[in-house]
Amino acid sequence: GRTNSIVTSTSPISISGISVESNDWELIGDVDVVHLSTSLIASEGNLSELSRADNIVVDGMTYTISSAGAFDGTIIPLSSPYLGPTMSGLPLYKASKSCTTGT
């Protein structure tokens, strides 16, 4: 393959033969996250749409809601630590049951 090639063009890039389908995510609301924490703090949204063992997506990464730990109107327990940076107001999506990769 080519490495470090510079290509100039005024034409937009065209990709053919690709089909794009819905990722079947549902926007739930916003959450605050802390690096390596095993829970998320919901700042707003409709948490009633979530259940334990649901797959959720935060900052492009898929997590599973834990079967243990506090799970109420603001706290969402994770089955594994949040690996991203500490941030506030990130969108929280509920992913389909078949989504395990975040894509």
Side-chain angles (χ1 to χ4, degrees):
R2 295 165 54 164
T3 305
N4 297 326
S5 297
I6 298 175
V7 178
T8 59
S9 173
T10 58
S11 300
I13 295 172
S14 174
I15 300 173
S16 62
I18 294 178
S19 100
V20 177
E21 298 178 18
S22 169
N23 59 14
D24 199 22
W25 293 0
E26 176 185 351
L27 179 63
I28 299 298
D30 294 332
V31 292
D32 298 337
V33 295
V34 175
H35 179 68
L36 297 181
S37 176
T38 55
S39 62
L40 308 175
I41 307 297
S43 53
E44 61 179 61
N46 188 8
L47 297 185
S48 63
E49 296 294 321
L50 298 176
S51 301
R52 292 188 185 273
D54 279 347
N55 293 324
I56 56 175
V57 179
V58 179
D59 200 23
M61 296 293 297
T62 301
Y63 297 91
T64 302
I65 298 176
S66 177
S67 60
F71 184 28
D72 59 27
T74 59
I75 298 173
I76 304 167
L78 302 177
S79 60
S80 61
Y82 172 74
L83 300 177
T86 298
M87 298 181 77
S88 295
L90 288 178
L92 169 69
Y93 296 93
K94 178 180 178 180
S96 67
K97 286 288 186 186
S98 62
C99 178
T100 58
T101 64
T103 58

